[in-house]
Amino acid sequence: MAGSGEEGLYSRQLYVLGGGARRLAAATVLVSGLRGTGAQVAAALVLAGTGRVVLHDRGAACTADRAQQFLLGESDVGRNRAEASQQVLAELNPHVAVIAHDRELSEAFLASFQVVVLTESPLEEQLRIGDFCHARGICFIVADAKGLAGQLFCDFGKQFIVDDPAEGDPVSAIVQHISQGNPGVVTYVGAEASRGHLFCDGDLVTFSGVEGMTEMNSREPVPVRVLDAFRLEIGDTSSFSPYHRGGLVSQVRLPQVHSYKPLRQALEEPQIRVASPEELPRSRSLHAAFQALHAFRGEQGRLPRPRAPADAERVLELARSLGAQQGPLDEDVVRAFASVSAGDLCPVAAVVGALAAQEALKAITRKFLPLDQWLYFDALECLALEGAARLMEEDCAPRGSRYDGQIAVFGAAFQERLGRQKYLVVGAGAIGCELLKNFAMMGLAAGPGGNLTVTDMDTVALSNLHRQLLYRSADISKPKSVVAAAAVQRMNPSIRVTAHQNEVGPATELLYGDDFFQHLDGVASALDTLEARAYLESRCIRCLTPLLDSGTEGLRGNVLAMVPPLTKPLGPAGTPGDGTFPLCTLRYFPRTIQHTLQWARDEFEGLFQLPAEHVNRFIEDPAFLEQLPAGKALEVLEQVRGSLWERPQDWRDCVCWACRHWQSRYHDAIVQLLHTFPPEHETSPGVPFWAGDRSCPHPLTFDPDNDTHLEYILAAAHLFAQMHKVPPCSNRAATQTILRSVVLPPFVPQEGLQIPLAEEREEVQAPADHGRLVELTQDLVQQRQELVGGEEAQVPVMEPIHFEKDNDIHVDFIMAASNLRAENYGIPPADWLTSKRIAGRIVPAIITTTAAVAGLACLEVYKLVWGGQDPSCYRNSNLCLSDCLLLRVQPLPPPTYRYGGQEWSCWDRLEMQAIGADGQEMTVQEVLDWLQRTHGWTVTMLLRGHTVLYDREEDEETRTRQRAQRLSENLEDAGEPRRRELELYYVCEGEDAEAEDARPPLLCSLP
């Protein structure tokens, strides 16, 4: 059963929110305050598909709002912010009702909402509305961003039910044994991708499919105690029957009830969420600072003037006088906070707004634990930068500019520097869109000499729209980079952005070469493959270009800052499982739905892609078989003959083929397996064969009235028809009529069939039957002549079908094929969306995580623009929105090593102008002399990549020729482009064996 249109739109988000996402369409949320933070909250809720979002703001948009409020255009200045934002938000998602409201928030008005989010709200209003919402059971959120700090508060009432508190699906594992005892011990095995410890102490589990100790199958959920990676204690099993075999242990998540204090009480008794106990004093100081800021505003009628010491000291006095401190007040934090609290920064609003939006989604979906109850976030380390620390009040005074909120924090000269930046954004997907939006608000590359290059090879797809802010439905199939560049230019007409549609990789080094990277001020990576990210990092390392690498998966995200020469290079990311499993597991002994889905993917390729490719190649050129090993050639010929022999004439033929194939896979193959290894088979006396990680299967009997059986036939027949260019049919009743007339021959198992019991090395193929090969070739050549009429085939005879995760028919086949296989082996089936996610290797994604990650990355851009040379000012960030956790730590320093009697950093390199005495490019001999003269090193080998330029072990004639050649000679012969700078590697006399990769590279600048 294919997914609905909304599933296609929200599929990546559904993998994050689960079944609770169904509640979104009926939800009503109020977002009050439509400056930067409120705009981020509202946009995220609209993109996520919240049914009704009401925007509230009683103020008029001003020019300075446009440094963080990305929904406003130049013509909106002077209009009510809510009304000006409504149209743009409504265009983001036509399925959401977006309404503007500019009147007072009365209790009668508030009563209709499920969630109320306040931003830019005075404390008195927060307390009034917080009291009302708590009494009425309305989920209440306060989100505020001031300068370089943010505040988040949640009150979800006296009794809030969380249906599912954790990420991902509940885990399950195959039971290997259950002991009789008190307590009983379960031994289990997980999938290949698991590393043990699937369960935690206190988890509730149930059992199914256990043979022997059948009492386990009817038990209510029981708590477990983890003994080690593969054993659990489960309570008293001493009176149960002995365990025989089989079974599945599955985690059960029961709803949880949580209670929250109202804002008025929580201010005095704060429960603050921190990533580590060391952060608590800082967060408590910010808790006091935000309250003091409210008091200052009530007293003065304004926020503290930027960099005005008297105002900052007054905020500090108010913080001291609150008298409700829990622990000492960090006065430096309060002063720093107050000194820039009048500032408005898009990255801070993005982070706080994204976190607040995720809490609103938790309130609606009842998925994940809500924040309990306060969270504070700051990037005050930015003020320790040398340039920022010297700023005076006049440097940060308003200029009547759209960037006044940013100037209030970093000064006017810094804003000019931002405009001159040259940046590359690689990837215009979810993170890329948020980065570009933030850059437009910040004014990055919006001044003379600035340039922002964005490149992405992809086009806009339907599934992008729920989390990629810059795209609309009218943009589907258009190049992402072009659409994104146009969108950010509308947000900020001054930004100088160039759109490319290229991959940044070895094939484009002529375009993105050393000169290109060396002229950049920084690179922002928004890539989604490890290979592409690793290549981009290698280019930045080579050219000493700062790199900000961002990534997300579901509600988890990270930002890594690589700042040459201050921080450690990023290094290889953790290698994920590649989704491959042992062939014997897939073919004969699956035990998880991941196994059956991979088997179904292999089936898809083997049925609908490879046969068509082989037939087409044979029709175009029968001689291609000569390029294959004899054994492989015979296999391909057999496949070609089979494909031509069973070519269908009409839909009925396709249905009959699908039915025969169903029978061979889900009945005959299982009967054969059980004939070879009967259910009571023993590997040795007393040791059952079907035990542990081998589940005993059972054959299925075809039933045209069974929905799963019919779905398989419809999908398989459709694909078979498409491959053979026969018109398909979707009439279920007509297909069932055909199926009832199909007569399937009885199956007789083979005797002595060998089935591998473990992943074994392929044995060398026996010599092919040459006579059979000749006979098949002659027969097929004759068929080919008849098929093409003696002429060369102009059109492929068959259409190869490549699996596409966004093609519903493809996913229909995968789901049905996998679930039938799962039924054979007693494995719980997967629904359509889960099948699509696993088979399509889709990474779950949601707008809140990408917005927060992009905001964190842009905070690091500020530091790079300042040219910060103190590594302690930079931060690597990790966030987990399901737990509302944000961890920011200093990047590690670069590693060092010793070579040639001195210490080197991994960033160090030797640089030389490779111009000889004759003004021409240096020879190899001149380079050897330079290394000897400058460093006292006698070189025994010199290399350019894999090309050996000099080797002392060669004979005298070869060495003489090597020493005389110019550095770039033979570059073109080696297939390398001409470069202005060559990177050479060398081996010196007397090196330790450990120095093989630990030596500074030699960079030679050519004339």
Side-chain angles (χ1 to χ4, degrees), residues 639-942:
Q639 189 180 68
V640 169
R641 190 186 69 159
S643 297
L644 293 176
W645 179 263
E646 59 192 8
R647 290 186 72 204
Q649 300 301 310
D650 52 26
W651 175 247
R652 178 185 179 84
D653 288 349
C654 297
V655 171
C656 292
W657 172 87
C659 187
R660 291 193 300 272
H661 194 76
W662 188 102
Q663 185 74 3
S664 73
R665 286 293 187 261
Y666 305 110
H667 179 272
D668 298 353
I670 303 301
V671 170
Q672 177 67 62
L673 183 60
L674 292 175
H675 179 78
T676 306
F677 300 115
E680 301 305 322
H681 183 72
E682 294 182 343
T683 55
S684 59
V687 180
F689 176 83
W690 295 107
D693 56 3
R694 295 194 194 118
S695 297
C696 186
H698 67 276
L700 306 182
T701 301
F702 183 73
D703 179 3
D705 295 317
N706 181 296
D707 284 343
T708 305
H709 297 195
L710 184 57
E711 291 293 343
Y712 177 92
I713 297 297
L714 286 168
H718 183 105
L719 292 164
F720 192 69
Q722 180 185 340
M723 182 174 66
H724 284 282
K725 303 184 178 183
V726 170
C729 171
S730 58
N731 188 313
R732 295 172 69 91
T735 301
Q736 285 176 306
T737 300
I738 296 171
L739 289 169
R740 290 190 178 95
S741 68
V742 176
V743 177
L744 296 169
F747 175 71
V748 179
Q750 296 181 43
E751 297 294 338
L753 186 67
Q754 294 296 312
I755 293 177
L757 300 183
E759 189 67 5
E760 301 167 353
R761 180 176 58 85
E762 279 192 32
E763 296 181 3
V764 178
Q765 291 184 331
D769 184 339
H770 183 71
R772 175 66 176 157
L773 192 62
V774 172
E775 178 187 340
L776 267 176
T777 303
Q778 291 175 347
D779 180 42
L780 287 173
V781 167
Q782 179 62 35
Q783 287 193 48
R784 176 183 179 276
Q785 291 287 63
E786 295 172 2
L787 200 61
V788 302
E791 299 292 334
E792 292 301 317
Q794 298 300 313
V795 179
V797 174
M798 296 173 67
E799 178 186 339
I801 304 173
H802 295 261
F803 176 73
E804 292 285 347
K805 62 181 179 290
D806 292 319
N807 185 304
D808 288 350
I809 293 289
H810 295 192
V811 179
D812 288 347
F813 174 83
I814 294 292
M815 182 187 73
S818 170
N819 285 344
L820 288 166
R821 179 83 165 165
E823 186 180 349
N824 278 140
Y825 284 86
I827 299 168
D831 61 24
W832 196 87
L833 275 173
T834 302
S835 300
K836 176 178 178 176
R837 174 177 62 83
I838 297 173
R841 303 185 179 103
I842 295 172
V843 177
I846 192 167
I847 178 63
T848 49
T849 314
T850 53
V853 161
L856 292 167
C858 289
L859 288 171
E860 302 309 303
V861 171
Y862 286 139
K863 302 165 188 178
L864 291 173
V865 174
W866 271 118
Q869 293 302 303
D870 183 355
S872 67
C873 74
Y874 293 96
R875 295 291 183 271
N876 288 339
S877 299
N878 287 277
L879 73 129
C880 178
L881 296 189
S882 60
D883 295 321
C884 207
L885 274 178
L886 173 58
L887 179 64
R888 302 176 72 232
V889 298
Q890 295 178 21
L892 293 173
T896 60
Y897 59 92
R898 292 195 65 79
Y899 183 81
Q902 60 179 300
E903 188 171 73
W904 303 83
S905 159
C906 66
W907 294 108
D908 288 333
R909 64 273 316 279
L910 309 178
E911 298 183 3
M912 65 177 293
Q913 294 294 319
I915 304 173
D918 58 358
Q920 301 297 310
E921 179 183 309
M922 272 189 178
T923 63
V924 169
Q925 181 65 60
E926 288 174 303
V927 173
L928 301 179
D929 292 343
W930 183 88
L931 286 167
Q932 178 71 57
R933 183 174 64 253
T934 308
H935 297 281
W937 298 341
T938 300
V939 175
T940 60
M941 182 176 286
L942 187 66

Side-chain angles (χ1 to χ4, degrees), residues 211-222:
E211 297 182 30
M213 195 180 284
T214 55
E215 296 91 340
M216 297 297 297
N217 297 328
S218 57
R219 294 185 82 185
E220 292 296 314
V222 295

Side-chain angles (χ1 to χ4, degrees), residues 305-307 391-401 403-412:
R305 289 186 297 271
R307 306 285 178 160
L391 292 173
M392 306 297 288
E393 187 173 349
E394 55 270 22
D395 298 317
C396 302
R399 265 65 172 173
S401 158
Y403 306 116
D404 276 354
Q406 199 159 253
I407 290 171
V409 178
F410 295 119

Side-chain angles (χ1 to χ4, degrees), residues 570-632:
L570 303 184
T575 304
D578 60 2
T580 60
F581 303 102
L583 283 178
C584 64
T585 300
L586 297 181
R587 290 176 179 173
Y588 307 111
F589 310 119
R591 57 181 183 270
T592 69
I593 200 66
Q594 287 83 0
H595 294 157
T596 63
L597 282 163
Q598 183 58 51
W599 178 87
R601 276 289 306 266
D602 294 344
E603 273 278 283
F604 188 101
E605 181 180 294
L607 292 174
F608 309 119
Q609 178 189 328
L610 295 179
E613 290 177 346
H614 290 152
V615 167
N616 290 342
R617 286 196 68 185
F618 179 78
I619 295 297
E620 291 166 6
D621 178 20
F624 93 94
L625 294 169
E626 298 172 5
Q627 304 164 17
L628 302 175
K632 184 67 175 176

